[in-house]
Amino acid sequence: MNLDEYQIEGEKDVCIDQSKIDLVSINIPLLSSKWLRYLNKEKIKLKKYTQERDTIRRDRYSYYAGYGESYFKYALQKTEIKEYLNADEDLQEIEMILELQQVIADYLKDVISILNVSGYKIKNFIDWRKFQAGGY
């Protein structure tokens, strides 16, 4: 799934329907479990992309430093290599993918946090209704 799909599904799952408060309360553990599965899947992807970035960085460093069979046509100093790595299109592309993956993982953590506190919100809602009805 992509970020937009997670956001659409997240909006549905964190919404508390006041007319079905009992069902919402019962489903909180199931929803938490579902979002934890999503988070674990995305964390694995994040790790994979991090490893891929490290491999690309090593290969591009070797290229700019003049190691191996193919190498950059100019002799660069170590400080210059860093500048070339920062501007390298292959590295920029994987960095963007990695950043998006981190945003997805952070979003999933936030949804889980919202679900974790929704039990308290439901309790407060019920207490407020009791108070309005004169039960306290």
Side-chain angles (χ1 to χ4, degrees):
M1 287 177 41
N2 63 32
L3 181 59
D4 292 332
E5 292 169 337
Y6 280 130
Q7 288 174 332
I8 290 169
E9 191 169 344
E11 288 173 8
K12 291 178 195 171
D13 286 351
V14 299
C15 183
I16 297 175
D17 184 358
Q18 296 178 5
S19 64
K20 300 175 184 174
I21 206 83
D22 54 342
L23 295 175
V24 173
S25 176
I26 291 170
N27 285 330
I28 290 173
L30 297 173
L31 291 173
S32 294
S33 174
K34 175 177 104 174
W35 286 94
L36 280 170
R37 280 193 316 273
Y38 289 159
L39 178 61
N40 289 335
K41 183 179 82 170
E42 297 300 333
K43 281 176 135 179
I44 290 169
K45 283 185 188 178
L46 182 64
K47 181 65 175 173
K48 183 186 92 161
Y49 289 134
T50 302
Q51 290 172 339
E52 188 176 329
R53 184 219 34 215
D54 294 344
T55 301
I56 292 172
R57 180 174 278 286
R58 183 200 62 219
D59 293 345
R60 299 308 289 167
Y61 184 89
S62 295
Y63 171 76
Y64 290 120
Y67 306 138
E69 294 176 15
S70 69
Y71 51 88
F72 194 58
K73 57 186 170 184
Y74 302 109
L76 298 174
Q77 301 294 322
K78 284 187 178 185
T79 55
E80 293 174 313
I81 293 173
K82 192 175 206 178
E83 292 297 319
Y84 276 82
L85 286 174
N86 288 338
D88 188 85
E89 290 180 9
D90 293 339
L91 274 173
Q92 287 177 345
E93 183 179 333
I94 192 69
E95 287 288 346
M96 284 301 298
I97 293 169
L98 196 58
E99 184 65 29
L100 176 61
Q101 195 62 36
Q102 185 63 52
V103 168
I104 290 172
D106 291 343
Y107 177 77
L108 295 174
K109 288 178 190 176
D110 292 343
V111 169
I112 292 168
S113 296
I114 291 169
L115 288 171
N116 286 341
V117 298
S118 61
Y120 298 111
K121 290 180 182 179
I122 290 171
K123 181 190 179 313
N124 288 340
F125 173 77
I126 292 170
D127 289 345
W128 177 250
R129 288 295 173 134
K130 284 181 183 176
F131 176 75
Q132 286 180 323
Y136 278 111

